[in-house]
Amino acid sequence: MRFMILVKANADSEAGVMPSTEILTAMGKFNEELVKAGVLLAGEGLHPSSKGARVRCEGPTKRTVIDGPFAETKELLAGFWLFQVKSKEEAIEWIKRSPFQEGEIEIRQVFEAADFGDAMTPELLAQEDRLRAETEARGKTGS
């Protein structure tokens, strides 16, 4: 099962303070452990919310764009990992080994197609499989 690991922002990440070489080295070592264990599917750091935007959707056509920065730093994200693990407990154990010294990390299970039950028709499942294959192929070629 897959889990999204959400790393919460803090005042430094929202101010655009870049991590030190020491922190990057520790994170790189941890990421190597994740890759060697076959756990890491993806992971990236995020720019501060001041460089982002939100799009509020209301009804079928109304869209409102709100430029960052956003208040409530504790609700913002600074990065993520996508893990492939056997259980939530395994994901938790991996995060306990992460090099973070402070802050909060949220772990959320990713839906699989089967989780949608009968709402996921064979046609929708075929579309999902096709899109996933296309996405993986683009990731391999970098296009």
Side-chain angles (χ1 to χ4, degrees):
M1 55 186 59
R2 294 176 298 159
F3 285 87
M4 180 68 77
I5 313 301
L6 306 166
V7 179
K8 300 292 179 110
N10 61 29
D12 283 346
S13 64
E14 277 297 291
V17 175
M18 299 304 285
S20 67
T21 299
E22 180 183 33
I23 292 172
L24 291 172
T25 300
M27 194 61 68
K29 182 179 175 187
F30 180 62
N31 286 339
E32 279 192 24
E33 290 178 40
L34 293 168
V35 169
K36 286 179 183 173
V39 169
L40 184 62
L41 299 177
E44 303 291 344
L46 302 175
H47 281 268
S49 69
S50 61
K51 295 183 177 182
R54 291 179 175 164
V55 179
R56 179 175 296 137
C57 303
E58 298 175 73
T61 58
K62 185 177 179 185
R63 303 292 182 258
T64 305
V65 177
I66 305 156
D67 290 322
F70 306 114
E72 298 295 328
T73 299
K74 66 180 182 180
E75 300 298 327
L76 300 173
L77 299 175
F80 71 92
W81 282 294
L82 184 60
F83 286 2
Q84 177 74 49
V85 291
K86 293 183 177 103
S87 65
K88 179 174 74 177
E89 290 71 27
E90 183 182 356
I92 291 168
E93 289 305 313
W94 275 106
I95 291 306
K96 285 180 175 178
R97 297 168 51 186
S98 74
F100 288 103
Q101 302 292 313
E102 62 181 284
E104 189 172 283
I105 300 169
E106 185 172 327
I107 300 170
R108 305 270 304 271
Q109 187 172 356
V110 175
F111 278 114
E112 302 296 340
D115 294 330
F116 294 100
D118 292 341
M120 182 61 84
T121 65
E123 295 80 16
L124 290 172
L125 187 57
Q127 178 188 41
E128 180 77 13
D129 290 344
R130 179 180 51 78
L131 293 173
R132 192 173 306 277
E134 285 180 24
T135 301
E136 288 178 14
R138 284 188 180 171
K140 290 178 183 173
T141 63
S143 60

